[in-house]
């Protein structure tokens, strides 16, 4: 089970409240928060703060504020009609210079504050993305280990589920242990549906010579027409010319069923065209 540090969970709380977490990562963070009363209380405070911020952004000035502002503006306009006191040129220039300097200092300070906030937020976001990527990798590795264990499950339905994970998974970087387990399942599993699913899973790694060799080896000894046809189609789709000898044997063998013989002949024709 994934564990989080105090610093990690506090950062993840903000992303969770902002709706940036989805799928399994979101569920894992929620589960971690709910299992710790202190974190659960902190997350409630974060949610309350975001709710207040949303309420503030939706607030509109009422009529009394508009009326007070209009009265203030009218008073300023009337005051503008009164001639201002005469100031010496030197005093006026001195005032203007100090005012300009103050504006520049304030502007520079504001830019410094904004820049520090932007850089800090950017670094926080990058760190969070790195942590999420690590978490996603850990989840994928955990799933692969579970599927690998299920390939040896005594229940055929569980073995099919495990093979289906590799057939449908986006993880194309399966390691040698996983591929070896799928080849063993294809060769030795007593259940036809498990063998067919393992074959489809292995087809995703058909660029590997030992996977194509395994297809040919199983086809030479297979007796079930469904498995034979599946393997013939896979070998032809992989353009495996080394399968020509096995396909010709199937065509000539007296015990080969008609539909398998026809599929083998079709495969031989397609491979000769390559």
């Amino acid at each position: 089970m994934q564990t989080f540090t105090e610093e990690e969970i506090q950062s993840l709380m903000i992303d969770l409240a902002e709706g940036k977490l989805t799928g399994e990562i979101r569920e894992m963070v929620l589960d971690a928060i709910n299992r710790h009363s202190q974190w659960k209380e902190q997350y409630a405070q974060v949610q309350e703060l975001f709710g207040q911020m949303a309420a503030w952004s939706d607030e509109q000035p009422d009529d009394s504020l508009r009326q007070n502002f209009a009265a203030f503006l009218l008073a300023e306009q009337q005051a503008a009609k009164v001639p201002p006191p005469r100031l010496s040129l030197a005093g006026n220039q001195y005032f203007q210079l100090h005012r300009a300097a103050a504006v520049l200092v304030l502007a520079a300070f504001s830019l410094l504050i904004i820049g520090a906030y932007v850089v800090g937020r950017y670094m926080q976001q990058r760190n969070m993305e790195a942590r999420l990527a690590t978490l996603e990798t850990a989840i994928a590795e955990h799933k692969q280990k579970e599927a690998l264990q299920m390939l040896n499950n005594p229940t055929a339905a569980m073995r099919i589920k495990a093979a289906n994970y590799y057939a449908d998974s986006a993880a194309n970087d399966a390691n040698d242990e996983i591929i070896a387990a799928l080849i063993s399942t294809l060769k030795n599993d007593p259940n036809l549906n498990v063998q067919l699913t393992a074959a489809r899973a292995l087809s995703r790694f058909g660029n590997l010579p030992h996977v194509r060799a395994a297809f040919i080896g199983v086809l030479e000894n297979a007796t079930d027409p469904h498995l034979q046809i599946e393997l013939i189609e896979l070998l032809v789709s992989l353009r495996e010319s080394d399968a020509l000898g096995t396909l010709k044997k199937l065509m000539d063998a007296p015990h080969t069923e008609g539909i398998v013989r026809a599929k083998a002949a079709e495969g031989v024709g397609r491979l000769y065209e390559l």
Side-chain angles (χ1 to χ4, degrees):
M1 181 176 294
Q2 179 68 30
T3 58
F4 299 96
T5 65
E6 185 77 21
E7 181 183 0
E8 288 175 337
I9 203 67
Q10 288 176 352
S11 298
L12 288 166
M13 281 181 188
I14 297 174
D15 285 341
L16 181 62
E18 289 179 339
K20 294 181 179 179
L21 301 184
T22 58
E24 292 192 36
I25 294 179
R26 179 178 182 276
E27 297 302 322
M28 291 178 67
V29 172
L30 278 174
D31 179 66
I33 290 173
N34 289 329
R35 284 187 286 105
H36 295 77
S37 58
Q38 182 180 355
W39 291 356
K40 191 173 183 180
E41 182 179 351
Q42 289 179 5
Y43 181 57
Q45 294 174 355
V46 170
Q47 287 181 305
E48 182 180 357
L49 177 60
F50 272 86
Q52 291 175 354
M53 291 172 63
W56 292 340
S57 63
D58 293 337
E59 285 183 357
Q60 300 294 332
D62 56 20
D63 291 337
S64 63
L65 183 59
R66 294 192 182 91
Q67 292 171 2
N68 291 338
F69 178 75
F72 170 77
L73 183 61
L74 179 60
E76 287 294 312
Q77 290 173 343
Q78 291 175 349
K81 297 177 181 179
V82 179
R86 300 179 66 85
L87 297 174
S88 66
L89 180 59
N92 189 40
Q93 289 176 339
Y94 179 80
F95 172 74
Q96 293 293 340
L97 286 173
H98 275 266
R99 181 184 179 190
V103 170
L104 287 175
V105 171
L106 181 60
F109 182 72
S110 300
L111 287 175
L112 182 63
I113 295 298
I114 294 172
Y117 171 79
V118 171
V119 171
R121 185 62 180 173
Y122 172 75
M123 294 302 296
Q124 183 184 31
Q125 185 67 26
R126 290 294 299 273
N127 290 336
M128 182 56 61
E129 288 175 356
R131 286 199 294 270
L132 290 178
T134 302
L135 186 58
E136 288 174 350
T137 301
I139 292 173
E141 291 176 352
H142 179 69
K143 281 187 172 181
Q144 288 196 6
K145 289 180 180 178
E146 283 188 339
L148 189 60
Q149 292 174 352
M150 285 196 302
L151 283 175
N152 297 318
N153 192 284
T155 306
M158 297 300 291
R159 299 198 302 276
I160 291 174
K161 182 179 179 181
N164 264 326
Y165 170 76
Y166 294 112
D168 301 332
S169 174
N172 291 312
D173 56 344
N175 57 40
D176 293 339
E177 182 183 9
I178 292 170
I179 294 174
L182 288 170
I183 290 175
S184 176
T185 300
L186 173 62
K187 290 180 177 179
N188 305 315
D189 200 284
N191 186 282
L192 173 64
N193 290 324
V194 176
Q195 288 182 293
L196 291 172
T197 309
R200 286 191 287 270
L202 284 167
S203 68
R204 300 176 61 249
F205 313 104
N207 60 309
L208 300 176
H210 65 287
V211 171
R212 298 196 298 272
F215 286 160
I216 295 173
V218 174
L219 178 60
E220 288 176 349
N221 299 308
T223 57
D224 187 276
H226 298 89
L227 182 58
Q228 289 173 318
I229 291 173
E230 179 74 22
L231 292 171
I232 291 171
E233 290 179 344
L234 288 175
L235 287 166
V236 172
S237 67
L238 293 171
R239 301 182 176 184
E240 183 50 68
S241 58
D242 288 347
L244 280 169
T246 302
L247 295 180
K248 289 177 180 178
K249 289 180 182 178
L250 282 174
M251 291 170 57
D252 298 335
H255 59 272
T256 302
E257 292 197 15
I259 187 171
V260 177
R261 184 178 288 108
K263 182 62 69 173
E266 179 187 343
V268 169
R270 290 175 61 183
L271 290 176
Y272 267 129
E273 293 173 358
L274 299 177

